Amino acid sequence: MDAKPNGEYSSDRVVDGPTNPMVTPLLTDLYQFTMAYAYWKAGKHQDQAVFDLYFRKNPFGGEYTIFAGLEECIKFIANFKFTEEEIDFIRQSLPPSCEDGFFDYLRGIDCSDVEVYAIPEGSAVFPKVPLLRIEGPIAVVQLLETPFVNLINYASLVTTNAARHRFVAGKSKILLEFGLRRAQGPDGGIGASKYCYIGGFDATSNVAAGRLFGIPLRGTHSHAFVSSYMSPDEIIDKLLLSNDGSSICEDFVGLVQTWLSKIQWSNSLRGTFGETNQSELAAFTSYALAFPNNFLALVDTYDVVRSGIPNFCAVALALSDLGYKAVGIRLDSGDLAYLSCEARRFFCTIEKEFGVPGFGNLTITASNDLNEETLDALNKQGHEVDAYGIGTYLVTCYAQAALGVVFKLVEINNQPRIKLSEDVSKVSIPCKKRCYRLYGKEGYPLVDLMTGENEPPPKVGERILCRHPFNESKRAYVVPQQVEELLKCYWPGSSDNAREILPPLKDIRERCIKQLEQMRPDHMRRLNPTPYKVSVSAKLYDFIHFLWLNEAPVGELQ
Ligand SMILES: Nc1ncnc2c1ncn2[C@@H]1O[C@H](COP(=O)(O)OP(=O)(O)OP(=O)(O)O)[C@@H](O)[C@H]1O
Ligand SMILES: O=P(O)(O)OC[C@H]1O[C@H](OP(=O)(O)OP(=O)(O)O)[C@H](O)[C@@H]1O
Ligand SMILES: O=C(O)c1cccnc1
Ligand SMILES: [Mg+2]
């Protein structure tokens, strides 16, 4: 694609397919095809429809959500085309009475007549505001409902989960996504790695995701590596070249043993531990011989304080003699606050006693069933953890299974439509709309405002009435200091509009981090956060309620 001088890309429609090859036009619910047939049979399939994709409630008891999954949606529609085999399968799956002409129609369709406007991926978003507005022939757009909702639901949920973990951990901590083995299948695993990165994680252990998306890869080693060693005698090749190549240590195993007794008998550590586990020492020594520049040891296989930490320090000091700097340790069980403090104390004592600069700052990684609550508990107790490896709770979104994204018809052939419900929160907001984020004096977003498509946009410095869509008494005047139009054109259909570029993953991640930094702190706090305001213009408010009364039958009391 060629960049135009103004930074936008030309409107050519060549876009790679979705990451997962299972994402085809058949990845939808049967009823989308039966509806498409009925639209076609009634001659209604070309009716111009507008659908909004949105969610009704923020997840995890919070007051914000991060929008993700847009790139995959655009990759999907850019390549939307039925194969003959797929058409045969649809034919077999529908009643035999379905006429051939419908299958000819399916054969011809793609998304070149569909327009998609969306909020940029990685943005902070709020209930009821359309994340996507999709416009086009009703039969085609209807077929997009299930795949779009599928591609956005988990993506936004897990990105939000990751962002929440980042918020609790704090900016300075390293967050590693370790969830592949526990994710809901291969797509869950790949998606988790991609979207946790967007949500603010630093790296993943998932090699396939590293290759697909260029996410930094990180890892330590497992208990199996430690317990696979029985004794230091197993180490045959004990030779290690110094880091600058100037000397050779013929017996690295012996050097480690020497350091272990020096630590054991040192002034400040004498009596703090006795004999350490020698098979663990062998495993650490062997790992250091394999990775002298990246030595990180899992120290909880036998006993963290009495064995793992002193063994690690002996190997790290031996490496230091040869000009290498060890990375640190991983703790994977026990009281992580207490053990991390013990480890730090040990490292600092060694730095002092043996004059090894930087030893006190070695990295302490913690893992083991971590989640938002445990991170919060660790913060409250005080700890010395620098990096967290998080798997199960993060990638399975254990605290909330789904986001509840919906796809609702808001206009057909320029006629606004509404979906009523006993539950007011489920009443849809009709009309093809424009959406704005209004910023206040202090630079914080104040409110998201939806208006009808043809209303004049809010203006900086001009007072505008923002109304709760359903609650008459909730309204406020806002004088915006900045107005941001939220929905941008990502797929122009048959219009001449310029198409937004699909930014690289790093930029989406950057956007997510910046957006959350910009939120007013009371929307972000974990306990009883303040809801962010989502509103409609006075004109749209009046229209919603006019349509509501129009569509709701009047009851009769007997
Ligand atoms: N200081 C702490 N405060 C709160 N939660 C903690 C703290 N330290 C660890 N945890 C959490 O407590 C749980 C401990 O897990 P569990 O009861 O399975 O014990 P364990 O340490 O894994 O023991 P083992 O694996 O040796 O059986 C984990 O979810 C861990 O994240
Ligand atoms: O705890 P999670 O957040 O899922 O993070 C990943 C975990 O996966 C690995 O062990 P695994 O759970 O396979 O075995 P273990 O529990 O016996 O250590 C690793 O040691 C972590 O503990
Ligand atoms: O590299 C690690 O330490 C790791 C990777 C995945 C799961 N648990 C740990
Ligand atoms: Mg585990």
Side-chain angles (χ1 to χ4, degrees), residues 178-179 181-182 221-223 298 300 330 332 367-371 389-394:
F178 280 176
R181 65 189 62 193
R182 300 283 157 58
H221 64 75
S222 78
H223 293 111
L298 174 60
D300 71 332
R330 174 160 75 101
D332 190 41
S367 54
N368 185 26
D369 288 340
L370 294 173
N371 57 30
I390 315 184
T392 312
Y393 283 92
L394 174 71

Side-chain angles (χ1 to χ4, degrees), residues 248-538:
I248 291 178
C249 169
E250 303 279 353
D251 182 10
F252 186 68
V253 177
L255 183 61
V256 169
Q257 291 288 1
T258 311
W259 269 112
L260 186 62
S261 25
K262 276 198 208 169
I263 304 171
Q264 205 162 6
W265 299 107
S266 66
N267 289 332
S268 37
L269 293 167
R270 190 178 305 131
T272 59
F273 65 98
E275 287 301 308
T276 62
N277 185 305
Q278 289 299 293
S279 63
E280 182 186 59
L281 186 66
F284 290 178
T285 306
S286 182
Y287 205 67
L289 282 164
F291 299 107
N293 269 312
N294 298 283
F295 175 57
L296 192 152
L298 174 60
V299 293
D300 71 332
T301 306
Y302 302 114
D303 186 310
V304 174
V305 175
R306 291 195 190 85
S307 185
I309 293 174
N311 277 340
F312 163 79
C313 290
V315 178
L317 286 164
L319 282 175
S320 172
D321 273 354
L322 300 174
Y324 297 102
K325 188 168 177 349
V327 174
I329 59 167
R330 174 160 75 101
L331 298 165
D332 190 41
S333 58
D335 183 326
L336 299 171
Y338 167 76
L339 291 172
S340 67
C341 293
E342 285 298 295
R344 182 71 67 213
R345 212 156 51 89
F346 210 97
F347 296 163
C348 290
T349 307
I350 288 197
E351 172 162 349
K352 252 202 203 151
E353 173 107 18
F354 299 105
V356 192
F359 207 94
N361 298 328
L362 290 175
T363 302
I364 301 176
T365 302
S367 54
N368 185 26
D369 288 340
L370 294 173
N371 57 30
E372 261 192 87
E373 273 63 45
T374 45
L375 298 189
D376 191 44
L378 291 175
N379 287 345
K380 285 179 176 142
Q381 292 160 46
H383 65 85
E384 285 293 338
V385 176
D386 305 295
Y388 295 104
I390 315 184
T392 312
Y393 283 92
L394 174 71
V395 305
T396 64
C397 295
Y398 195 91
Q400 179 166 337
L403 179 59
V405 172
V406 295
F407 192 85
K408 297 290 167 196
L409 181 74
V410 293
E411 200 168 288
I412 183 118
N413 294 333
N414 299 316
Q415 296 298 310
R417 305 305 299 143
I418 192 167
K419 157 78 180 72
L420 299 182
S421 168
E422 294 284 314
D423 176 354
V424 172
S425 71
K426 288 195 163 182
V427 173
S428 67
I429 299 181
C431 302
K432 180 173 175 182
K433 298 178 284 290
R434 286 177 183 261
C435 304
Y436 303 93
R437 186 156 294 171
L438 309 185
Y439 292 77
K441 273 199 204 104
E442 286 161 33
Y444 296 125
L446 287 182
V447 62
D448 280 7
L449 175 70
M450 293 176 259
T451 72
E453 201 211 356
N454 297 318
E455 286 186 55
K459 288 205 182 73
V460 170
E462 267 185 29
R463 199 168 81 141
I464 183 163
L465 182 63
C466 297
R467 301 201 62 165
H468 186 287
F470 305 118
N471 187 333
E472 195 172 14
S473 64
K474 288 193 176 174
R475 60 236 151 102
Y477 283 112
V478 176
V479 181
Q481 301 304 305
Q482 187 197 329
V483 175
E484 180 188 3
E485 178 146 23
L486 292 174
L487 292 171
K488 300 183 192 302
C489 179
Y490 280 88
W491 193 249
S494 44
S495 74
D496 297 330
N497 294 341
R499 180 159 74 85
E500 292 288 325
I501 57 160
L502 292 173
L505 202 60
K506 262 198 154 88
D507 293 7
I508 302 175
R509 180 175 187 272
E510 232 7 72
R511 178 177 192 88
C512 168
I513 294 168
K514 282 214 179 98
Q515 290 254 307
L516 293 176
E517 280 173 358
Q518 211 181 21
M519 292 299 295
R520 218 173 57 202
D522 56 309
H523 299 307
M524 300 294 297
R525 69 176 171 234
R526 295 184 62 247
L527 189 65
N528 301 327
T530 313
Y532 178 79
K533 287 188 178 56
V534 169
S535 63
V536 294
S537 64

